[in-house]
Amino acid sequence: MTPDQYCQEKAAQSGSSFYYSFLFLPPERRRAITALYALCRQLDDTVDEASEASVARLKLAWWRTEIDRLFDGKPEHPVTQALAPHLLACGITQDRLQAIVDGMEMDLDQTRYLDFPALQRYCRLAAGVVGELSAGIFGYADAQTLAYADRLGLAFQLTNIIRDVGDDARKGRIYLPVNELQQFDVKAADILNGRYSDKFSALMRFQCERARRTYREALALLPPEDRRPQRPGLMMAAIYYVLLDEIERSGYQVLHQRISLTPVRKLWLAWKTYVTGGRALWRQVGT
């Protein structure tokens, strides 16, 4: 199996919404974004699948060294070998890749966030940096597109947090800010034990409204001349925005299940966004 094939298999197995947007890219850019996504999956799995935090730390330390080897021209892992040819052309920097590892380490160090600014700092490392790297792979003419990509990464991460409240709680993590739980009088124990209530629904409605506002803010930052090359990000946004609809339609039943869209629906949304240049998404989001 070649490094590119390894990354392709890693991306396809995940069933992620991101995979469907990759299908519409030219081959070289598709290989680059698939390699970046596979690296993120590898790092995420390192944290989620390790039986002990100490083991995860050792593995993340190995990945830090591997990223250094990548920029020294000596990558050892199939994922970094697949990423190597695209570093210069796509503006992939060592600092940004190491920042992603920083975000993964935060999951080992912290299971609660006091307020939204603290959560935003985590989201910046976990998703905003990935958004900027992705924007470089897709291509852009205006540097403001990086601000759009960072904001869109935040919107994606907020959506993930909403969708995964139950899954994360079973791992002992609550990403919803502590002061917002207090504001809506929702106890951490209720989330950890999967207990629904009207107060929990009100809290989740607040979270969804903020996520939707973040999508609007991101789209407002995207310069018109970069809408075409950035269509893959817009495809992901279309899928994730509809996911918010489904979560709301379920009555925020996210504690006992992981709500998702079918592969056919994801592909349809990606295709519709591609052929309309994102116009359908702009109408849906209300910008």
Side-chain angles (χ1 to χ4, degrees):
M1 183 183 294
T2 68
D4 283 334
Q5 288 170 337
Y6 178 94
C7 293
Q8 175 68 25
E9 186 170 302
K10 190 82 175 173
Q13 285 176 346
S14 73
S16 168
S17 302
F18 294 84
Y19 174 71
Y20 295 88
S21 67
F22 302 168
L23 302 175
F24 296 84
L25 282 166
E28 198 65 15
R29 294 186 190 275
R30 184 166 66 245
R31 283 192 287 270
I33 193 64
T34 302
L36 176 63
Y37 177 79
L39 174 61
C40 293
R41 276 256 57 88
Q42 243 8 109
L43 293 171
D44 198 45
D45 291 346
T46 294
V47 173
D48 286 345
E49 295 177 2
S51 56
E52 300 283 344
S54 59
V55 174
R57 289 184 198 282
L58 286 173
K59 290 184 177 181
L60 287 178
W62 184 91
W63 277 106
R64 285 197 183 279
T65 303
E66 176 65 0
I67 289 170
D68 291 341
R69 282 193 292 264
L70 167 63
F71 285 87
D72 287 338
K74 302 172 184 177
E76 296 179 0
H77 195 279
V79 164
T80 42
Q81 289 171 353
L83 195 58
H86 309 288
L87 299 181
L88 187 60
C90 297
I92 298 170
T93 66
Q94 192 168 359
D95 287 348
R96 283 187 175 129
L97 292 184
Q98 294 288 10
I100 298 172
V101 183
D102 291 341
M104 300 299 172
E105 284 190 331
M106 286 186 73
D107 275 332
L108 299 176
D109 297 329
Q110 197 166 347
T111 59
R112 303 284 195 281
Y113 292 88
L114 181 62
D115 53 26
F116 187 62
L119 180 63
Q120 274 188 292
R121 287 192 288 275
Y122 166 74
C123 291
R124 160 70 186 162
L125 297 173
V129 172
V130 178
E132 291 175 357
L133 287 165
S134 300
I137 292 172
F138 302 150
Y140 63 89
D142 191 325
Q144 183 176 302
T145 295
L146 291 178
Y148 144 82
D150 179 78
R151 200 70 185 169
L152 190 62
L154 173 61
F156 289 155
Q157 192 65 17
L158 294 177
T159 307
N160 283 338
I161 287 169
I162 291 165
R163 178 196 63 194
D164 295 339
V165 171
D167 283 349
D168 290 331
R170 284 183 281 279
K171 298 170 187 172
R173 302 175 191 156
I174 300 177
Y175 291 98
L176 304 177
V178 171
N179 68 338
E180 293 175 5
L181 266 66
Q182 293 171 341
Q183 176 185 341
F184 288 90
D185 194 24
V186 174
K187 309 300 182 188
D190 291 338
I191 293 176
L192 293 171
N193 291 302
R195 289 195 288 264
Y196 292 101
S197 67
D198 291 342
K199 293 175 181 178
F200 176 77
S201 296
L203 169 66
M204 296 310 296
R205 188 178 304 112
F206 176 83
Q207 304 299 320
C208 286
E209 287 170 356
R210 178 166 56 205
R212 291 188 186 282
R213 184 168 64 251
T214 306
Y215 282 105
R216 289 194 295 271
E217 292 167 352
L219 293 180
L221 289 169
L222 180 58
E225 62 268 32
D226 283 338
R227 289 183 181 182
R228 183 177 181 84
Q230 293 297 316
R231 278 184 299 185
L234 299 176
M235 293 180 215
M236 292 182 244
I239 293 170
Y240 266 55
Y241 204 80
V242 169
L243 177 59
L244 283 176
D245 291 340
E246 290 301 312
I247 290 170
E248 290 182 331
R249 193 172 291 118
S250 77
Y252 311 104
Q253 297 286 299
V254 292
L255 292 176
H256 72 288
Q257 63 181 344
R258 191 175 192 267
I259 296 171
S260 62
L261 307 183
T262 65
V264 170
R265 194 173 183 190
K266 290 177 183 178
L267 188 59
W268 161 249
L269 289 166
W271 179 84
K272 184 171 71 170
T273 306
Y274 180 83
V275 298
T276 65
R279 289 189 298 274
L281 175 62
W282 257 268
R283 287 194 299 270
Q284 184 179 12
V285 173
T287 57

